[in-house]
Amino acid sequence: MSAEAADREAATSSRPCTPPQTSWFEFLLEEALLETHLKKPCPDPPPVQLIVQFLEQASKPSVNEQNQVQPPPDNKRNRILKLLALKVAAHLKWDLDVLEKSLSVPVLNMLLNELLCISKVPPGTKHVDVDLSSLPPTTAMAILLYNRWAIRTIVQSSFPVKQVKPGPPQLSVMNQIQQEKELTENILKVLKEQAADSILVLEAALKLNKDLYVHTIRTLDLLAMEPGMVNGETESSTAGLKISTEEMQCQVCYDLGAVYFQQGSTNAAVYENAKEKFFRTKELISKIGSSSLHCTIDEKRLAGYCQACGVLTSSSNSTSQQSTPYSQIHCCMRCGNYQELVKIFLEDNLTLSLPVQFRQSVLRELFQKAQQGNDALDEICFRICTCNTVCDVMQGRAIGIQFNQLFLKPNKEKIDFLLEVCSRSINLEHASESLKRKMAAFLKNMCLSLEDLQLVFMISSHELFITLLKDDERKLLIDQMRKRSPRINLCTKPVTSFYDIPASASVNIGQLEHQLILSVDPWRIRQILIELHGMTSERQFWTISSKWEVPNVYGSVILGIKDNLTRDLVYILMAKGLHCSAIKDFVHAKQLFAACLELVTEFSPKLRQVMLNEMLLLDIYTHEAGAGVSGERPASDLISRVRGYLEMRVPDIPLRQVVAEECVAFMLNWRENEYLTMQVPLLLVQTNPYVKLGQLLAATCKELPGPKESRRTAKDLWEVVVQICSVSNQHKRGNDGRVSLIKHRESTLGIMYRNELLSFIKKLREPLVLTTILSLFVKLHNVREDIVNDIAAEHISIWPSTIPNLQSVDFEAVAVTVKELVSYALTINSNNHFWLIIQADIYFATNQYSAALHYYLQAGAVCSDFFNKMVPPDVYTDQVIKRMIKCCSLLNCHTQVAILCQFLREIDYKTAFKALQEQNSHDAMDSYYDYIWDVTILEYLTYLHHKRGETDKRQIAIKAIGQTELNASNPEEVLQLAAQRRKKKFLQAMAKLYF
């Protein structure tokens, strides 16, 4: 077998990143133990870990007889250890992806330098001066490997890295980490100085037209032999593992493209070079195939690079330049063609191809330019913000603060553009019903938020508005607007008696059944059924559509009607009425129910009461979806009917649970706490879980805030909810005789299931009731023994602090419920700062620090007119500020940490100084110094920059100290005013960063 064949077989016998065979391990470990007297490592250590162990042992300094530290000796033991490290790397086929992932920069630098040394590259020789074509293949490949690693390391160092928070401080560990950090920085400094040479070496490698070879375990053994024993085989073209020209060029092109792309941030012309290299890489991959053993390229990342280069480089071919929206937007921003930019965003509202984060980043850039004095961009900012807002509405996201700020002073032009965006963002022919309802709700809410009736009329008379909103919705809206202007009037058409409509001649049964399915006109439905029953008496026409569904509790009564025509008519009218109610077509639902009520009144008191109950439920839905949205209190007649239902004692009436559920929610939403607490019949409380829950909620809300002795109802409500959230435990004896505990998630111990409770709560809109139930679940969440970060909530002190049987509570379900409840509450009122703080605490507890900061800042913004007023101290408590500090610290925004330390009642200098000592900060650093008002912190900054030799930053800190309003001799009022002004500007800057 030839040398090349032997190396190929050795290379293909094991793949990189997989544990080597036991025999290979035993060989290396036995060799290491025999030759170097190392301790045997743990069984089956990872291959890369062996490199670290071998090189650490080989680089240990020695101590002479005078106890002086000497460099590592060049003895046989250390040479063997270095050779073993090279063998492990050869076993991994010198895959830089694998090596970089597991080895630190100093270790990999040492390994590749050993490779250069054993490959006969003269030390001190500049690689750029070497002719690669004249070198042995393995030597040329060693130089390529080193220079590829060099530029890859430079590129990798430019990416932000999330710092791992250390555990308890240990001096020896900290010293070791600091030494490694300093060593890495020194190596990076050298690599960056040699970057230009490394690039030239790799560019020269692309001109090579011969295959290269990389060292294998066999060739390394040959090189380690005595010089007299080597027969020149390692110098030949067949020694080592073959790397084809295409594979080598593919790897080199990709790495060169990455470094050119990184350099493009300071020199845009270099992006052309990056583009050329990345597209060449794609060609080579298609040629050699993506399954190559020796060329592993992240094709998704390559595609991203190619797309970015296509955007960032200008092309003579205008078609290719404008091929993607990204290219067009980049060109518009660069050339100042903002009208075209608006057009692109408008078109994308229909296709939705741009990610929401990209849309927001473009808007932020425009806002920054506008704030720099370009007033002409204010209108463009509004237009782009409007496009983004309509896009958010269609995708079910909340409307941002920026749109509300820009719409504080609406005018005709703004309304015109808003309507244009809405019209061009929805294709009515192909849009789903859900999308239409979202757009309709947005337009309706816009009408309700406007005070100028002329602007309201512009929206309500628009074709899109008329198409999307049904007649009853427009009528409800006009009823609300009528209170602002007596000129708006409505007329109602008198209803014809149900029995006055004659039946017409019969037609084909199939056509009549089709008309019966489609019709929502009760009189037409009766006419069709009379004709159908005149044609045949054998059919049950209530069964012709699977969509006609009536609750089982009603179905048994209706299907007991003896007359076939009456049975079909009652069933179909009720089924269609329930369907119309479900899709919020309340006008047709009311017509269908009224007709059904008129029909059953003559022969069935039981069904008459059923229809009265359903019409009550329909009236509740109608009010809650219409006038109730704007806060208009329901008519006293509706409240009386709800009370009558709750007090009803008619026996044998089939009842739907949802009616009682909606009635209780209705009474809670309209603050009928006195009635629920004192006047609901005791029998109904005992038999209906929703009534009992409503009574406890009403009593608890009624007593808030109250003395401790008046919180008995809060304790009762607590016990009911704890029981609902408890799990039933059962013990089961296994085959081995052991007893295991089985938990059942859905417990029947409570008055209802947890999902039923959650569904009921999501029908509530009254802020006090929502706050009460939310604080209860937050307290229940905090009672957990292993909880690390408590969640704050209003009125949390009224609940008990302990649970007798803590193990029975399903705390995972409680945590899920808290998240769902706060999300729902924010859909009711996205400006409730207490709910926003709860949402922020949840994100903080789950380590989502950027999202937590977003909601902490939003909570402060909504209660301070976007920080133009002072944030109330009960919102930004010391606990909230400390959590904001921790968020910024974990996000590596250390200057923000120092500034926030000033917000505490007692300034935390220790934390502030420690944060300022960090040099790897991801925030704006010295541009934040104008927000610091504490002179002690500014003086420390001055000292710190002086110590580091950072003259420019030191001057910025000195300038900040020198402001007259920070003079300690100033009156306290002046100092407080200076602090408030800086707080305002800092929080506004943070909000723009995280919103």
Side-chain angles (χ1 to χ4, degrees):
M1 182 184 291
S2 68
E4 182 178 358
D7 285 331
R8 279 288 178 192
E9 183 176 352
T12 54
S13 64
S14 59
R15 299 286 303 273
C17 303
T18 59
Q21 300 297 325
T22 305
S23 59
W24 184 80
F25 258 118
E26 290 299 326
F27 168 75
L28 278 181
L29 294 179
E30 289 301 326
E31 189 172 353
L33 290 168
L34 289 172
E35 299 288 349
T36 64
H37 308 292
L38 286 173
K39 292 182 180 179
K40 186 171 184 178
C42 61
D44 293 346
V48 181
Q49 190 60 36
L50 286 174
I51 297 177
V52 178
Q53 292 181 17
F54 293 152
L55 291 181
E56 281 182 353
Q57 291 292 330
S59 59
K60 275 188 178 179
S62 61
V63 180
N64 61 14
E65 295 177 355
Q66 288 78 29
N67 287 330
Q68 294 177 335
V69 179
Q70 300 290 329
D74 185 19
N75 53 28
K76 181 179 179 182
R77 174 184 180 275
N78 287 349
R79 286 194 297 271
I80 291 173
L81 285 168
K82 291 175 184 177
L83 182 62
L84 288 173
L86 292 171
K87 285 183 179 181
V88 177
H91 169 73
L92 297 173
K93 302 192 183 78
W94 300 97
D95 189 336
L96 288 180
D97 288 329
V98 176
L99 296 174
E100 288 170 341
K101 192 178 296 184
S102 305
L103 299 181
S104 64
V105 171
V107 172
L108 194 46
N109 180 57
M110 191 186 313
L111 178 72
L112 292 175
N113 274 303
E114 287 302 324
L115 175 64
L116 292 173
C117 182
I118 204 167
S119 300
K120 309 293 176 58
V121 178
T125 304
K126 282 191 173 185
H127 297 170
V128 72
D129 297 333
V130 177
D131 182 8
L132 294 177
S133 60
S134 64
L135 294 176
T138 50
T139 306
M141 194 63 195
I143 292 176
L144 286 187
L145 272 173
Y146 179 85
N147 287 281
R148 279 185 59 216
W149 168 76
I151 65 171
R152 286 163 66 105
T153 305
I154 293 169
V155 172
Q156 192 64 33
S157 69
S158 67
F159 299 150
V161 180
K162 182 178 179 181
Q163 298 295 321
V164 180
K165 297 299 287 185
Q170 298 179 7
L171 188 59
S172 60
V173 175
M174 291 176 66
N175 288 339
Q176 184 178 353
I177 292 173
Q178 185 62 29
Q179 288 175 5
E180 184 172 336
K181 184 178 178 182
E182 290 176 357
L183 186 56
T184 301
E185 289 175 354
N186 291 335
I187 292 171
L188 277 173
K189 184 179 179 182
V190 174
L191 293 179
K192 287 176 181 177
E193 290 173 356
Q194 298 174 352
D197 289 351
S198 294
I199 292 172
L200 289 174
V201 170
L202 296 179
E203 288 283 7
L206 295 177
K207 300 175 184 177
L208 292 176
N209 290 319
K210 64 177 182 178
D211 296 335
L212 296 182
Y213 290 80
V214 67
H215 280 300
T216 61
I217 295 174
R218 182 172 176 276
T219 59
L220 289 170
D221 279 332
L222 289 173
L223 287 171
M225 291 180 182
E226 295 297 328
M229 297 175 66
V230 179
N231 60 3
E233 183 182 358
T234 55
E235 301 296 324
S236 73
S237 61
T238 60
L241 182 62
K242 179 181 175 182
I243 308 294
S244 70
T245 308
E246 289 82 5
E247 288 175 326
M248 178 271 292
Q249 289 183 351
C250 187
Q251 291 174 325
V252 171
C253 279
Y254 181 75
D255 294 334
L256 280 173
V259 76
Y260 284 144
F261 190 86
Q262 184 229 356
Q263 293 175 349
S265 59
T266 55
N267 182 7
V270 183
Y271 283 128
E272 288 288 351
N273 294 343
K275 180 179 179 181
E276 177 191 344
K277 293 296 183 287
F278 285 133
F279 280 88
R280 176 62 179 155
T281 305
K282 288 183 72 173
E283 292 174 7
L284 289 167
I285 287 177
S286 63
K287 185 176 180 181
I288 63 178
S290 56
S291 58
S292 169
L293 288 175
H294 313 301
C295 179
T296 54
I297 303 293
D298 186 343
E299 293 190 44
K300 289 185 178 179
R301 193 176 185 88
L302 175 62
Y305 271 132
C306 290
Q307 187 179 40
C309 289
V311 171
L312 294 169
T313 56
S314 58
S315 171
S316 57
N317 185 349
S318 59
T319 305
S320 64
Q321 182 181 351
Q322 301 297 329
S323 58
T324 66
Y326 300 100
S327 309
Q328 299 171 27
I329 290 170
H330 181 73
C331 182
C332 291
M333 294 290 286
R334 189 171 55 192
C335 304
N337 188 359
Y338 299 116
Q339 296 301 329
E340 183 65 23
L341 181 68
V342 174
K343 181 181 176 183
I344 295 169
F345 270 68
L346 267 173
E347 292 172 353
D348 187 72
N349 269 25
L350 201 57
T351 59
L352 300 176
S353 61
L354 295 175
V356 61
Q357 296 85 356
F358 180 75
R359 283 171 159 268
Q360 291 171 351
S361 68
V362 172
L363 182 59
R364 276 197 299 270
E365 188 173 343
L366 288 171
F367 270 125
Q368 290 171 0
K369 291 183 178 181
Q371 289 169 357
Q372 291 169 2
N374 191 345
D375 296 334
L377 283 179
D378 289 342
E379 178 66 19
I380 301 299
C381 289
F382 166 75
R383 289 177 174 250
I384 296 295
C385 186
T386 303
C387 292
N388 285 356
T389 300
V390 174
C391 179
D392 289 340
V393 167
M394 292 191 299
Q395 295 187 0
R397 292 188 292 269
I399 297 175
I401 293 176
Q402 291 169 330
F403 178 75
N404 292 325
Q405 287 179 325
L406 292 172
F407 224 82
L408 285 174
K409 295 180 180 180
N411 53 38
K412 181 180 181 300
E413 290 73 21
K414 288 184 176 181
I415 297 293
D416 276 337
F417 183 74
L418 175 64
L419 291 171
E420 180 189 353
V421 174
C422 292
S423 300
R424 295 179 60 177
S425 300
I426 184 169
N427 187 336
L428 292 175
E429 293 181 3
H430 302 98
S432 64
E433 283 299 320
S434 171
L435 195 62
K436 291 178 181 177
R437 299 311 303 164
K438 289 174 184 175
M439 184 65 80
F442 173 65
L443 292 174
K444 189 167 67 172
N445 290 332
M446 286 301 303
C447 288
L448 294 172
S449 67
L450 294 171
E451 296 181 0
D452 189 338
L453 288 177
Q454 291 183 349
L455 299 180
V456 174
F457 181 73
M458 285 179 63
I459 298 177
S460 62
S461 61
H462 195 271
E463 182 183 357
L464 179 66
F465 183 88
I466 295 171
T467 305
L468 291 177
L469 267 78
K470 298 182 176 65
D471 293 340
D472 63 315
E473 292 177 311
R474 294 203 300 274
K475 177 183 173 182
L476 289 170
L477 181 62
I478 294 172
D479 282 341
Q480 296 171 44
M481 304 308 298
R482 182 172 52 187
K483 297 178 180 179
R484 305 181 188 178
S485 172
R487 292 172 297 173
I488 302 176
N489 290 314
L490 287 173
C491 61
T492 358
K493 187 178 180 180
V495 180
T496 313
S497 173
F498 181 67
Y499 286 99
D500 294 340
I501 302 176
S504 65
S506 62
V507 291
N508 181 274
I509 290 180
Q511 291 177 338
L512 286 174
E513 287 182 346
H514 181 68
Q515 293 176 27
L516 183 63
I517 291 172
L518 296 179
S519 179
V520 288
D521 182 353
W523 297 273
R524 178 60 183 153
I525 291 169
R526 173 184 174 273
Q527 185 181 12
I528 294 171
L529 280 172
I530 290 173
E531 294 182 9
L532 286 170
H533 277 275
M535 294 177 181
T536 175
S537 59
E538 298 177 358
R539 294 284 304 277
Q540 293 182 334
F541 293 103
W542 63 270
T543 62
I544 64 174
S545 174
S546 61
K547 300 292 184 182
W548 294 342
E549 295 179 355
V550 168
N552 292 332
V553 69
Y554 296 161
S556 58
V557 179
I558 296 172
L559 297 180
I561 299 172
K562 294 180 180 179
D563 181 67
N564 291 341
L565 172 60
T566 306
R567 180 180 61 237
D568 286 347
L569 187 54
V570 172
Y571 189 97
I572 292 171
L573 288 174
M574 178 174 280
K576 284 179 173 284
L578 290 171
H579 174 71
C580 288
S581 176
I583 64 173
K584 302 190 185 310
D585 185 358
F586 300 130
V587 172
H588 286 119
K590 190 156 190 174
Q591 292 173 1
L592 290 160
F593 282 163
C596 192
L597 175 63
E598 187 178 351
L599 178 61
V600 300
T601 298
E602 297 189 2
F603 67 87
S604 176
K606 187 182 292 187
L607 283 176
R608 178 181 178 275
Q609 189 58 54
V610 166
M611 292 313 305
L612 288 173
N613 294 345
E614 288 299 325
M615 291 188 76
L616 170 62
L617 181 60
L618 178 64
D619 288 341
I620 291 174
Y621 285 155
T622 303
H623 180 270
E624 296 297 272
V629 174
S630 61
E632 181 180 339
R633 189 168 177 78
S636 57
D637 172 64
L638 181 56
I639 295 176
S640 298
R641 288 166 60 200
V642 172
R643 290 183 177 185
Y645 174 83
L646 292 175
E647 296 169 7
M648 183 176 61
R649 292 184 176 86
V650 181
D652 300 329
I653 298 296
L655 300 173
R656 279 210 298 158
Q657 189 74 276
V658 68
V659 184
E661 185 181 351
E662 290 290 348
C663 285
V664 173
F666 178 83
M667 299 297 274
L668 286 170
N669 284 334
W670 297 107
R671 298 175 288 282
E672 293 290 326
N673 296 336
E674 188 72 31
Y675 172 80
L676 285 172
T677 306
M678 308 297 295
Q679 300 176 35
V680 176
L682 180 61
L683 180 63
L684 191 60
V685 174
Q686 293 172 345
T687 56
N688 193 310
Y690 294 103
V691 176
K692 180 177 182 179
L693 183 64
Q695 186 183 65
L696 291 172
L697 269 170
T700 305
C701 294
K702 183 182 169 186
E703 294 176 359
L704 287 176
K708 289 184 178 179
E709 58 270 14
S710 68
R711 294 180 183 168
R712 182 179 57 81
T713 53
K715 184 180 178 183
D716 294 341
L717 178 60
W718 169 269
E719 290 173 351
V720 166
V721 174
V722 167
Q723 206 168 27
I724 292 172
C725 294
S726 296
V727 292
S728 57
N729 299 331
Q730 293 182 3
H731 293 82
K732 180 179 179 182
R733 188 175 299 278
N735 296 331
D736 57 356
R738 295 183 181 179
V739 176
S740 59
L741 182 65
I742 303 174
K743 286 193 174 183
H744 294 276
R745 290 289 176 202
E746 288 295 339
S747 168
T748 55
L749 300 175
I751 61 174
M752 63 180 72
Y753 290 115
R754 185 183 66 87
N755 61 338
E756 294 174 335
L757 172 62
L758 190 59
S759 174
F760 172 72
I761 295 172
K762 288 185 177 181
K763 292 178 169 64
L764 303 175
R765 288 202 323 269
E766 168 59 26
L768 183 59
V769 180
L770 280 174
T771 298
T772 302
I773 195 69
L774 190 54
S775 71
L776 188 155
F777 273 98
V778 167
K779 182 68 175 183
L780 187 56
H781 173 274
N782 292 346
V783 166
R784 187 172 179 173
E785 291 178 343
D786 58 345
I787 198 74
V788 177
N789 296 308
D790 282 354
I791 300 174
E794 197 177 10
H795 306 309
I796 201 169
S797 60
I798 69 172
W799 310 111
S801 299
T802 57
I803 299 175
N805 190 6
L806 198 63
Q807 291 76 19
S808 67
V809 179
D810 187 355
F811 283 107
E812 292 180 14
V814 171
V816 171
T817 305
V818 171
K819 292 178 184 178
E820 288 193 44
L821 286 183
V822 73
S823 297
Y824 167 71
L826 288 174
T827 64
I828 299 300
N829 182 6
S830 59
N831 293 333
N832 187 307
H833 50 269
F834 289 114
W835 298 345
L836 289 166
I837 290 290
I838 294 174
Q839 182 70 286
D841 283 347
I842 290 172
Y843 280 123
F844 180 83
T846 53
N847 303 328
Q848 300 179 69
Y849 302 113
S850 181
L853 270 178
H854 170 91
Y855 281 99
Y856 283 134
L857 290 165
Q858 192 171 343
V862 298
C863 63
S864 64
D865 190 19
F866 198 67
F867 304 111
N868 286 308
K869 300 173 185 175
M870 183 177 174
V871 180
D874 61 332
V875 178
Y876 275 2
T877 62
D878 268 8
Q879 176 176 314
V880 170
I881 297 297
K882 286 177 180 177
R883 290 188 172 185
M884 292 173 71
I885 288 171
K886 187 173 181 181
C887 289
C888 292
S889 176
L890 292 169
L891 292 171
N892 277 353
C893 298
H894 301 297
T895 317
Q896 295 172 7
V897 170
I899 297 171
L900 284 170
C901 287
Q902 303 172 108
F903 284 61
L904 297 168
R905 286 185 176 85
E906 293 185 8
I907 299 176
D908 187 352
Y909 289 111
K910 182 179 178 181
T911 302
F913 292 169
K914 184 178 178 181
L916 293 172
Q917 289 172 5
E918 296 284 348
Q919 291 183 297
N920 185 20
S921 185
H922 294 169
D923 57 22
M925 298 182 70
D926 50 323
S927 65
Y928 280 130
Y929 291 175
D930 285 338
Y931 304 135
I932 302 175
W933 64 86
D934 185 80
V935 177
T936 305
I937 294 177
L938 287 169
E939 287 175 344
Y940 181 77
L941 271 172
T942 308
Y943 157 76
L944 203 61
H945 290 316
H946 175 72
K947 182 180 177 182
R948 294 174 181 168
E950 298 167 344
T951 308
D952 293 342
K953 293 182 179 181
R954 179 172 176 270
Q955 288 301 320
I956 296 172
I958 291 173
K959 183 181 177 182
I961 295 177
Q963 296 177 83
T964 54
E965 58 186 359
L966 298 183
N967 193 316
S969 303
N970 287 337
E972 186 64 24
E973 294 81 5
V974 175
L975 293 174
Q976 287 183 359
L977 189 62
Q980 287 301 327
R981 190 164 63 86
R982 285 162 173 76
K983 280 184 181 181
K984 165 191 164 182
K985 290 186 176 180
F986 173 68
L987 290 172
Q988 286 177 340
M990 288 278 284
K992 290 174 184 175
L993 186 63
Y994 286 97
F995 284 174

